[in-house]
């Protein structure tokens, strides 16, 4: 761990890494991949089964990644069985509050933390927007905007299950929906406008659009302000070929005040990552002293 850098990871590990995609169960395993980046904050999606047996799997992962404190949503009957979670290092943060936002399909795991012996609260949220309902995705995105209300400083890691609205800035190949083989995917990910099927970018527009956006897309900021074009590398699907070319659907967002503290943004889609999941791991690094200055006036 680097004392003056805050490392934030976000990762959708398919079905919580219960079995490797290629059937070859050998290191490095997901927690070992994560641990190599020494994260201070981890946003997790698809913590499938991690709540069983007193959350044994959740706590085992948090310990293995670096002695983190872990929180997760609940599996609810008739709803998604893939909860979200947030893990933080007690080396840097004290826990202020933990809640699970109980939305119709999947809960948002929400955490408030305070830097040790310093003022100001940082609000954290891990989200996995609904994969099948465009309207519900919009509702979930609007709910996330409320976390930044009253001038709060917020970081979010999520699988958006939808696309960035700044298509001209992306390095993903355009989607020709006429060539996409999976009909369910077309229904889940597109809207019809002027007689054409176009990608659903609603959540991105709600969260990071407009003249005064609520959040900054941190990969987009890294690509533009920091000249790190590879931050816009597509994140999913790393496996399926029937859903069109890979796209950037896994994002980290921050309130605009935090963008100035961003040092780098990295998309990890190595062969080791692809052995366990169809989503890339994203890593954001911040100047910790700059974060402390921001939080000193945060609510």
């Amino acid at each position: 761990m680097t004392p003056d850098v805050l490392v934030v990871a976000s990762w959708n590990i398919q079905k919580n890494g219960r079995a490797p995609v290629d059937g070859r169960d050998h290191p490095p395993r997901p927690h070992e991949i994560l641990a190599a980046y020494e994260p201070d904050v981890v946003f997790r999606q698809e913590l499938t089964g991690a709540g069983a047996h007193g959350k044994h799997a959740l706590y085992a992962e948090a310990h293995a990644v670096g002695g983190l404190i872990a929180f997760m949503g609940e599996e609810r009957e008739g709803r998604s069985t893939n909860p979200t979670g947030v893990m933080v290092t007690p080396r840097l943060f004290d826990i202020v509050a933990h809640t699970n936002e109980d939305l119709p399909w999947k809960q948002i795991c929400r955490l408030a933390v305070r830097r040790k012996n310093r003022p100001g609260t940082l609000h954290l949220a891990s989200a996995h927007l609904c994969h099948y309902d465009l309207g519900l995705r919009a509702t979930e995105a609007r709910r996330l905007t409320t976390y930044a209300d009253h001038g709060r400083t917020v970081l979010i890691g999520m699988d958006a299950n939808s696309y960035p609205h700044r298509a001209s800035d992306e390095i993903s190949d355009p989607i020709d929906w006429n060539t996409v083989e999976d009909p369910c995917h077309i229904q889940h990910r597109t809207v019809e406008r002027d007689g054409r099927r176009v990608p659903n970018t609603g959540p991105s527009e709600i969260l990071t659009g407009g003249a005064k956006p609520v959040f900054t897309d941190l990969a987009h900021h890294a690509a533009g302000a920091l000249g790190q074009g590879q931050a816009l590398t597509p994140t999913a699907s790393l496996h399926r070929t029937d859903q069109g070319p890979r796209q950037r659907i896994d994002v980290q967002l921050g309130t605009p005040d935090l963008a100035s503290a961003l040092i780098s943004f990295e998309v990890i889609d190595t062969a080791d990552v692809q052995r366990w999941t169809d989503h890339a791991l994203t890593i954001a690094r911040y100047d910790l002293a700059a974060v402390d200055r921001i939080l000193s006036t945060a609510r």
Side-chain angles (χ1 to χ4, degrees):
M1 61 190 70
T2 305
D4 57 351
V5 175
L6 175 69
V7 181
V8 179
S10 185
W11 200 8
N12 179 340
I13 304 176
Q14 186 174 330
K15 301 300 181 185
N16 204 29
R18 291 184 297 186
V21 175
D22 62 5
R24 296 165 54 239
D25 189 356
H26 61 75
R29 294 180 173 85
H31 67 271
E32 294 169 316
I33 295 170
L34 260 177
Y37 293 92
E38 299 183 320
D40 302 301
V41 176
V42 177
F43 299 113
R44 281 279 279 106
Q45 298 85 45
E46 293 211 20
L47 281 165
T48 314
H53 309 295
K55 301 180 182 175
H56 174 80
L58 174 73
Y59 298 137
E61 177 181 333
H63 176 74
V65 169
L68 307 183
I69 303 173
F71 302 84
M72 66 179 290
E74 303 170 2
E75 295 185 21
R76 305 292 294 274
E77 185 176 354
R79 303 188 190 179
S80 171
T81 57
N82 301 314
T84 61
V86 181
M87 306 176 187
V88 297
T89 176
R91 179 178 63 87
L92 296 179
F93 296 108
D94 292 322
I95 307 302
V96 175
H98 164 236
T99 55
N100 290 321
E101 194 78 59
D102 197 12
L103 295 169
W105 179 241
K106 189 184 274 99
Q107 293 181 341
I108 298 171
C109 184
R110 183 178 179 184
L111 201 63
V113 298
R114 183 175 292 118
R115 280 278 281 127
K116 285 189 176 296
N117 304 314
R118 289 177 172 84
T121 300
L122 177 62
H123 297 265
L124 307 170
S126 179
H128 189 172
L129 304 191
C130 183
H131 69 281
Y132 66 86
D133 190 310
L134 281 67
L136 184 50
R137 281 203 292 270
T139 296
E140 292 166 335
R142 290 190 180 96
R143 185 58 181 163
L144 286 169
T145 65
T146 67
Y147 297 176
D149 207 2
H150 306 295
R152 298 187 190 102
T153 295
V154 183
L155 280 177
I156 297 170
M158 69 175 181
D159 175 349
N161 272 322
S162 52
Y163 308 103
H165 72 281
R166 296 183 182 90
S168 61
D169 296 318
E170 298 298 310
I171 61 177
S172 305
D173 292 333
I175 305 172
D176 180 354
W177 291 102
N178 292 318
T179 67
V180 173
E181 299 172 10
D182 182 355
C184 293
H185 189 70
I186 295 172
Q187 289 298 325
H188 297 165
R189 293 287 184 88
T190 67
V191 294
E192 188 170 321
R193 289 180 181 167
D194 300 324
R196 296 187 305 116
R197 281 281 170 185
V198 299
N200 171 230
T201 60
S204 175
E205 294 168 18
I206 291 166
L207 293 163
T208 66
K212 196 169 185 179
V214 176
F215 296 106
T216 297
D217 182 327
L218 295 162
H220 184 269
H221 178 80
L226 304 179
Q228 299 171 8
Q230 293 307 303
L232 298 176
T233 297
T235 64
S237 170
L238 303 184
H239 299 145
R240 296 186 63 165
T241 59
D242 61 343
Q243 297 181 341
R246 294 178 182 180
Q247 302 292 317
R248 188 170 69 90
I249 69 170
D250 301 275
V251 297
Q252 293 194 40
L253 309 177
T255 41
D257 54 348
L258 282 171
S260 63
L262 186 68
I263 297 172
S264 66
F265 193 97
E266 190 175 0
V267 177
I268 316 299
D269 59 358
T270 61
D272 286 335
V273 164
Q274 294 185 45
R275 286 187 56 251
W276 295 99
T277 181
D278 57 352
H279 292 262
L281 163 65
T282 62
I283 300 288
R285 295 179 176 87
Y286 298 84
D287 180 326
L288 185 57
V291 172
D292 284 340
R293 288 193 295 272
I294 294 163
L295 292 180
S296 68
T297 59
R299 299 182 183 183

